[in-house]
Amino acid sequence: MQNTMQALVKARAAEGLWLQNEPLPEIGPDDVLIRVNKTGICGTDIHIWNWDDWAQRTVPVPLITGHEFAGEIVELGRNVQDLALGQRCSGEGHLIGKTSRQSRAGKFHLDPETRGIGVNEQGAFAEYLRLPAFNVVPLPDEVDDEIGAILDPLGNAVHTALSFDLVGEDVLVTGAGPIGIMAAAVARHVGARNVVITDVNDDRLALAARVCDCVPVNVAKEDLADTKAQLKLKQGFDVGLEMSGNQAALDQMVEALVMGGRIALLGIPPGKSPVDWSRIVFKAITIKGVYGREIFETWYKMIAMLENGLDVRHVITHRFGVADFAEGFAAMRSGNSGKVVLDWRKG
């Protein structure tokens, strides 16, 4: 095996990423080495590319970025017993500690010591990735590498959508980005009665309609109240999935929910936002913040749903070889794409 590999690196404190040669990772006794086949570009990666305030505060330089991937195991640490060479896999990108109360209770996704590959630690935008065996998620034959490369964001969607019982419920999704669209697809798959998704971007709303059975609404042009009337909702929506990080969307969601409605929040608003808490209190709204995936219950559920007919492939709108990574990032930064996948087997 070679001693170096190609990787996308945040090589300096400036806008952009750079494709360059890096040393091949050395694994420890509890790690595996994964040959990366495909990776997905995430909104977090766009923040790192742009080198915005969050990235400057968070990301050490230099760093191999990226955390959405699929590949195969090519080396095993000496203590690894339940995985095999050649095994196809994806993996949980949150590296947890083992000493917190949450971690010791098995609530790994709540561990305050969590560090992220591609954000705090060397990431997956590379030909090879070192990963603790604990974090490896084997892929069944029904989940190919392209879908495997977007399981991380699908997991965000699944974690958010399954925060509340959706069977027979009317669901409002605010934000038709890739994760919002996948959350709408999950809601329909698990038995929601009606799913409405809102945005102000017609392209992304059209993509949502192609991916799943939902009602897209451009709230810059249409009145959500008219949609409620068309669907014969007597009071409003039962569950809201807020994926946009837009304060106006959250305000609209609160007004559109029934008394006692429930909201799962994944979208992150920029800075501090004013909230009419009295309205939330008087409507008896339950709000749950969602971060990452439930490790590993979300992975189990989403793979089971993919094996059982959940289809999110159309959320992938662009595919590039790694040599054309700049075009892939341009597509994501345009705001008019779905998921963008980079193929590391193509130069």
Side-chain angles (χ1 to χ4, degrees), residues 157-176:
V158 169
H159 187 186
T160 307
L162 299 188
S163 292
F164 304 109
D165 182 6
L166 300 184
V167 176
E169 303 286 52
D170 299 311
V171 178
L172 174 63
V173 182
T174 48

Side-chain angles (χ1 to χ4, degrees), residues 1-4 24-25 33-35 73-75 85 128:
M1 187 179 295
Q2 71 260 33
N3 295 321
T4 63
L24 198 71
L33 187 66
I34 298 167
R35 183 170 65 201
I73 297 171
V74 295
E75 187 178 347
L85 293 175
Y128 293 90

Side-chain angles (χ1 to χ4, degrees), residues 130-177:
R130 178 184 64 193
L131 193 70
F134 176 81
N135 288 64
V136 172
V137 177
L139 294 180
D141 292 340
E142 293 84 355
V143 179
D144 59 35
D145 284 347
E146 183 171 85
I147 297 299
I150 64 167
L151 288 182
D152 179 294
L154 176 58
N156 293 143
V158 169
H159 187 186
T160 307
L162 299 188
S163 292
F164 304 109
D165 182 6
L166 300 184
V167 176
E169 303 286 52
D170 299 311
V171 178
L172 174 63
V173 182
T174 48

Side-chain angles (χ1 to χ4, degrees), residues 34-316:
I34 298 167
R35 183 170 65 201
V36 176
N37 291 332
K38 296 191 178 182
T39 55
I41 300 177
C42 172
T44 300
D45 302 318
I46 299 302
H47 286 291
I48 296 173
W49 175 286
N50 293 340
W51 202 234
D52 60 17
D53 290 342
W54 171 85
Q56 292 179 39
R57 293 194 309 268
T58 308
V59 178
V61 175
L63 183 79
I64 299 172
T65 59
H67 56 276
E68 301 178 4
F69 72 94
E72 60 188 272
I73 297 171
V74 295
E75 187 178 347
L76 299 168
R78 65 175 181 271
N79 294 339
V80 179
Q81 298 181 347
D82 55 349
L83 298 170
L85 293 175
Q87 189 165 19
R88 296 178 53 251
C89 65
S90 183
E92 172 57 56
H94 287 162
L95 308 179
I96 63 166
K98 302 292 177 65
T99 60
S100 72
R101 175 182 176 182
Q102 295 93 324
S103 185
R104 288 169 64 84
K107 300 175 182 178
F108 302 125
H109 66 294
L110 300 178
D111 177 55
E113 300 173 17
T114 296
R115 296 175 63 78
I117 67 169
V119 177
N120 313 110
E121 304 286 344
Q122 301 294 351
F125 283 162
E127 292 182 279
Y128 293 90
L129 169 69
R130 178 184 64 193
L131 193 70
F134 176 81
N135 288 64
V136 172
V137 177
L139 294 180
D141 292 340
E142 293 84 355
V143 179
D144 59 35
D145 284 347
E146 183 171 85
I147 297 299
I150 64 167
L151 288 182
D152 179 294
L154 176 58
N156 293 143
V158 169
H159 187 186
T160 307
L162 299 188
S163 292
F164 304 109
D165 182 6
L166 300 184
V167 176
E169 303 286 52
D170 299 311
V171 178
L172 174 63
V173 182
T174 48
I179 297 178
I181 293 172
M182 290 191 287
V186 170
R188 287 295 290 168
H189 185 78
V190 301
R193 181 172 68 165
N194 294 298
V195 178
V196 173
I197 187 165
T198 66
D199 208 295
V200 295
N201 184 319
D202 283 328
D203 290 338
R204 284 193 159 173
L205 289 167
L207 178 61
R210 291 198 297 273
V211 172
C212 68
D213 179 15
C214 63
V215 179
V217 177
N218 187 326
V219 289
K221 304 174 182 177
E222 305 169 68
D223 191 335
L224 188 58
D226 293 338
T227 303
K228 289 167 56 179
Q230 292 166 8
L231 295 176
K232 299 180 180 180
L233 305 187
K234 294 181 179 180
Q235 295 184 40
F237 296 92
D238 304 294
V239 176
L241 308 178
E242 207 306 288
M243 321 296 276
S244 71
N246 182 286
Q247 183 62 45
L250 176 59
D251 292 341
Q252 187 176 57
M253 177 175 283
V254 170
E255 294 305 315
L257 289 185
V258 299
M259 284 286 295
R262 294 149 292 164
I263 297 175
L265 288 173
L266 183 77
I268 303 172
K272 295 181 179 180
S273 302
V275 177
D276 185 354
W277 289 108
S278 64
R279 190 68 180 137
I280 292 169
V281 170
F282 288 127
K283 289 197 74 172
I285 301 293
T286 298
I287 297 179
K288 175 186 175 182
V290 178
Y291 172 62
R293 295 146 300 280
E294 290 189 340
I295 309 171
F296 286 92
E297 183 67 7
T298 298
W299 289 90
Y300 173 84
K301 288 183 181 295
M302 66 175 154
I303 290 175
M305 284 189 284
L306 288 167
E307 291 177 311
N308 193 39
L310 176 66
D311 184 1
V312 295
R313 191 176 304 277
H314 290 300
V315 82
I316 301 172

